[in-house]
Amino acid sequence: MKNIFLIIISLFLFASCEKEIDLDLDDQSGNIVIEANVTNLAGPYYVKITKSVAFTEDNTYPLIADATVVLSDNTGQTETLKYIGDGFYETNSFSAVAGRTYTLKITAEGKEYTAQSKMPEPVVLDDLQQDSFMVAGELSYTLLPIFTDPPALGNRYLFTYQVNNSGKIFEAFSDNVNNGAVNQRPLLLPNDDEDGEGEKTKVGDTIYVEMQCIDLNVYTYFSALLQIIDGGGPGGGVTPSNPPSNISNGALGYFSAHTVSKKSYVIQ
């Protein structure tokens, strides 16, 4: 299957803690696809709009260049984004902070699409700790993100990480396990280079980790995407199946207002 993201599922002992999500596996080619992010870092922020393609087609997605894209928040701030090419729309002066609710409105091809996302309060990624284990006689590595989950239940996290300049890997965490405590769930680093999608992690590699605090709808989206991948490795994406979007009117994709904390680590 075609993928927007390369995803590796974390260690199997946590898999039973995730709720199973029913997915619509129909071919949804020709639908609008929206990828939009707002963070607590300084802008500009970007919205990408394309169209999905049939499963039998290649990974060339038609671009939407004439949409009207409006971003606003619950304090009255609003801005119409400018198209800058390659399907991307960009903010100019819009600012974002934790705790606010953000609304995205898009008019494209005669239809209107809306989405909301509330940016959670930030949780800081304090450190990264390396560990290793043997798989089929070869050494593999994990990184443990060190952060303390807040006492209130309901915090959710998305980790994006990459080895050197390779493709990004995604993992979604919730605090259903480890609520209010220091995190004990590691990130599993690539241990092979199958299909040319990645590389085996080795001493001297730099791992770049970004921790996002995300809302429930965005967590549901990425958790479902993990389920579509079915055990990790290449595949999945918006066609022929798509995780449940928080965008209205049948759009594919997601809108995420989230906080960001980053660290890097050199494998020793």
Side-chain angles (χ1 to χ4, degrees):
M1 292 191 295
K2 300 188 176 98
N3 60 325
I4 296 179
F5 309 109
L6 171 64
I7 298 179
I8 292 183
I9 291 181
S10 60
L11 297 182
F12 71 92
L13 70 94
F14 296 98
S16 62
C17 302
E18 303 295 345
K19 180 180 178 182
E20 184 171 321
I21 300 170
D22 291 329
L23 299 174
D24 178 5
L25 300 181
D26 293 337
D27 185 346
Q28 300 186 62
S29 59
N31 285 25
I32 196 166
V33 181
I34 298 168
E35 299 172 57
N37 293 277
V38 174
T39 79
N40 62 331
L41 303 181
Y45 310 116
Y46 296 94
V47 176
K48 185 176 184 181
I49 309 176
T50 58
K51 295 188 73 172
S52 59
V53 296
F55 177 56
T56 54
E57 299 296 326
D58 60 24
N59 285 331
T60 301
Y61 300 98
L63 306 177
I64 303 296
D66 57 354
T68 300
V69 181
V70 179
L71 185 62
S72 62
D73 67 15
N74 60 332
T75 69
Q77 181 182 202
T78 185
E79 183 177 328
T80 299
L81 279 65
K82 179 182 178 182
Y83 184 69
I84 59 171
D86 294 328
F88 284 96
Y89 296 76
E90 179 185 63
T91 63
N92 179 32
S93 58
F94 198 90
S95 62
V97 296
R100 292 183 184 176
T101 299
Y102 297 87
T103 300
L104 179 68
K105 291 186 178 181
I106 294 174
T107 303
E109 299 187 332
K111 294 183 178 181
E112 183 173 278
Y113 306 89
T114 62
Q116 281 194 337
S117 182
K118 183 176 181 178
M119 187 182 298
E121 293 300 322
V123 176
V124 176
L125 177 60
D126 296 313
D127 202 0
L128 298 166
Q129 290 185 0
Q130 174 184 324
D131 201 358
S132 60
F133 58 98
M134 298 299 293
V135 176
E138 294 191 6
L139 193 62
S140 295
Y141 298 96
T142 64
L143 276 184
L144 179 66
I146 305 299
F147 66 94
T148 301
D149 182 76
L153 186 66
N155 296 285
R156 295 166 180 86
Y157 309 94
L158 181 68
F159 284 88
T160 73
Y161 56 105
Q162 60 188 121
V163 180
N164 301 321
N165 295 316
S166 63
K168 288 186 178 180
I169 303 165
F170 287 68
E171 292 195 39
F173 290 10
S174 79
D175 63 356
N176 292 338
V177 175
N178 216 54
N179 177 56
V182 176
N183 175 59
Q184 298 297 319
R185 183 172 177 174
L187 306 174
L188 183 63
L189 302 180
N191 61 9
D192 59 47
D193 57 356
E194 291 182 0
D195 302 321
E197 294 284 358
E199 58 183 57
K200 179 178 174 59
T201 306
K202 60 186 182 299
V203 172
D205 283 343
T206 300
I207 316 300
Y208 300 95
V209 179
E210 176 177 305
M211 183 176 82
Q212 301 176 6
C213 297
I214 57 177
D215 69 13
L216 174 60
N217 289 332
V218 176
Y219 173 77
T220 300
Y221 178 91
F222 281 98
S223 296
L225 191 56
L226 289 169
Q227 185 178 320
I228 291 171
I229 297 302
D230 190 25
V238 296
T239 46
S241 60
N242 191 66
S245 175
N246 62 345
I247 306 172
S248 72
N249 208 10
L252 307 181
Y254 68 94
F255 170 47
S256 177
H258 57 265
T259 65
V260 172
S261 188
K262 299 179 181 181
K263 290 282 184 182
S264 62
Y265 186 91
V266 178
I267 297 296
Q268 303 172 17

